[in-house]
Every structure is written in structure tokens, then in C-alpha cells.
Amino acid sequence: GVGTGAMAGSLPEGAFFAFQMTFAVITPALIVGAYPERVKFPAVILFSGAWLLLVYAPVCHWIWGGGWLAEMGVMDFAGGLVVHAKAGVSALVIAVMVGRRRGFPNALHPPHSPGLTMIGASLLWVGWFGFNGGSALAADGGAAMAIVVTHLSAAAASLTWAGLEWLRFGKPSLVGLVTGTIAGLASVTPASGFIGPVGGVLIGIAGGAVCFYAVALIKFRLKIDDSLDVFAVHGVGGILGTLGVAFLALPTFGGLGLAEGVGAGDQLAVQATGTIAVVAWSLVVSLVILLVVRAMVGLRVDQEDEIEGLDVTAHGERSYML
């Protein structure tokens, strides 16, 4: 059972259950961004279900359920490791296993509607206030600060990404700006309840810049077709914030401070240990799940189906009736 003990404070059990459920739901959904347009639907269903049970649930309990990483003192306020690092690493595994889309990376279509991309990112921006603020499990000053630093990080990262794109390609794009938004949101997630406004801005600038270069590295240098850059944005951002909180939680940066008698270096070692454990578990278990699913139903759709489009071939409907 979920329990209404110390873990949930004074929350009703149903509210705590529903809140935790949303984290469990969004994490395998994030991974879908790595492999659209080319994976068989039965494989999506089987992988997502197995991943939730075998990757999400154990790590969630290691960190948020009083498990071994919690006992070590790992700081992850709202899912830098539990959500973003796990989804990012698993996304990378599946992108490599399934292979690239046809025409990657030269003949790829850009997103067909930057406006829809913007609306989606805006929904995420607002929704993130619920995730990060709600992780305080109370409507108090801690929740309010988590929302403020989340907003500052998202804004700083959006501007950083757009600025880097402007410098590098001569034109800042809407899709680039909102990719920066998500990078800033993912980066601040683990730190959100432990830092102050200065920390939020710093983590946003760092997240926007580091994830910008991570996208170039994964997609164009390593030629891995992680379609929506789940690893480069969520994975890299979540890990960056997880390591960065060891410093940005210090009162120097307006943070709430670390545990009694723990220095930034000690905390960084704990954060790094947690990161390595979560990355390794996600990588190995995702690989095993994918091997089993591939043996059962296969992963990749036929080339004709991919050309025709999975909206029609897999689901019998058209995305657009134009």
C-alpha cells in the first residue's frame, strides 16, 4: 500500500497515490519521443508495461521509497534521476536498437507545425509547476520556491538555447526555444526544492547550454536517431541538475543548505553514485526488455509501412484530412 505515514505527510492516500501515478505514467511516455514513426505498436505496449515494472518501480523505491539510495542521502526533489535520467538512458538504448528513421539525418522533415510544438511545450511548462511544486507534498513556502525556481530555470534555458542557435545558425527558431524550455525544466527538476532563485537561473543557463551541445553530439556526431532528443535534453539535463544541486543547494547560492555535517564534495559523490546506479540499471534492464520484446513481436515496422505512415498502416486513421 501507499501508506499515509511520514512519506506522504498529511496528504490523503488517494492524492498521494494519484500524484505518484502521474510520475509513473509520464516516464515511459517520455521514452516514446525517441522512436516515433518506426516501431511496431505491440512492441510499444509490451516495452512500456515491462519498463514501468522493471525499471521505473525499483529505482523509484531506491530514491523515494526509503531504499538504499535514499539512505545514502541522494537528493532528487522531483525526478532528475527517477524520471529524466531513466527515460533518457532508456531512450538512447531503444534508439540504437531500433535504428534510424529513413533518410536520417539528411532528408528528415522538420516538425510539421512549430505552433503545435509550442502549445505542447507550454502545457509542459505549466504542468511542471505541479510536478516540482507538488513534490513538496504541501502548499507551503517550499512549494512556492520550487515553482519560482522552475520558472526561472525554464526561462533562462529557453533564452540560452535561442541565443546559441542565433549565434550558430544566424536564426533563433521557435522549436529551438522550446527545446531549451524543456532542457531547463528537466535540469531544475532534481534541485527544485533545495535551491533559491539564483540557483534556478544558473541551472537554467547551464542546462540550456549543455543540452544544446548534447543534441549536436548525439544526433550529428554519433548519428543516433533519438527523434525528440530525449537523452540529450531529459537525460543530460536531469543528470546535470542532479550533480549541480550538490553546490547550488548551498546557502552561498541562496539554497537551503545540505544535511548536517555534509560538504558539497561529499554530496557530489553521493549524487554521482546515485546517477551511475540509475544509469546502469536503466541501460541493462531496458536492453534485456527490448531483446525479449524483439524475440516476441519484433521492434521495427516494415519499410513500406514506414513510408506510408503508421497512422494509416498501424491504426487505420489519418493524422490529417486536408
Side-chain angles (χ1 to χ4, degrees):
V2 176
T4 46
M7 187 162 64
S10 58
L11 291 186
E13 186 165 15
F16 185 67
F17 162 76
F19 186 58
Q20 289 300 326
M21 178 190 70
T22 60
F23 283 84
V25 167
I26 196 64
T27 314
L30 279 177
I31 301 171
V32 174
Y35 60 78
E37 305 181 71
R38 58 196 191 277
V39 172
K40 293 181 175 178
F41 192 59
V44 175
I45 302 290
L46 287 170
F47 173 78
S48 298
W51 191 91
L52 185 72
L53 289 171
L54 300 175
V55 179
Y56 184 83
V59 176
C60 183
H61 282 271
W62 291 354
I63 294 176
W64 288 342
W68 68 283
L69 289 178
E71 286 178 359
M72 275 178 59
V74 166
M75 296 166 74
D76 183 2
F77 192 70
L81 294 178
V82 173
V83 175
H84 300 287
K86 272 193 306 209
V89 170
S90 304
L92 204 58
V93 175
I94 195 166
V96 171
M97 290 272 294
V98 170
R100 307 167 182 144
R101 284 168 291 178
R102 263 182 79 255
F104 176 90
N106 305 320
L108 279 184
H109 300 292
H112 63 81
S113 171
L116 286 178
T117 305
M118 182 73 199
I119 292 168
S122 302
L123 287 167
L124 281 168
W125 193 322
V126 176
W128 229 286
F129 295 151
F131 268 117
N132 289 4
S135 291
L137 300 182
D140 60 9
M145 182 57 82
I147 290 170
V148 169
V149 299
T150 297
H151 191 56
L152 289 171
S153 179
S158 302
L159 293 170
T160 301
W161 194 295
L164 287 169
E165 205 175 42
W166 208 341
L167 285 169
R168 192 154 173 192
F169 305 116
K171 291 185 173 129
S173 73
L174 185 63
V175 172
L177 182 120
V178 300
T179 309
T181 305
I182 308 305
L185 290 166
S187 299
V188 77
T189 294
S192 53
F194 308 119
I195 63 174
V198 173
V201 172
L202 290 174
I203 231 163
I205 294 168
V210 173
C211 295
F212 180 85
Y213 291 109
V215 166
L217 175 70
I218 300 292
K219 255 211 172 77
F220 302 110
R221 185 76 57 79
L222 301 179
K223 301 270 194 293
I224 296 171
D225 189 13
D226 172 354
S227 306
L228 300 186
D229 306 307
V230 184
F231 176 75
V233 172
H234 291 274
V236 170
I239 290 167
L240 179 79
T242 299
L243 300 175
V245 69
F247 303 99
L248 295 179
L250 297 171
T252 319
F253 297 105
L256 301 182
L258 299 170
E260 197 67 38
V262 177
D266 301 334
Q267 189 62 46
L268 181 63
V270 170
Q271 298 300 95
T273 304
T275 301
I276 291 164
V278 169
V279 165
W281 182 265
S282 303
L283 202 152
V284 172
V285 180
S286 295
L287 188 60
V288 171
I289 293 170
L290 285 164
L291 290 169
V292 172
V293 170
R294 187 168 71 182
M296 286 169 68
V297 296
L299 296 178
R300 182 103 187 201
V301 295
D302 295 334
Q303 188 158 0
E304 301 81 64
D305 289 353
E306 191 179 340
I307 293 167
E308 172 73 13
L310 300 189
D311 51 347
V312 176
T313 59
H315 305 291
E317 55 203 355
R318 285 206 179 277
S319 301
Y320 296 92
M321 303 302 273
L322 296 176

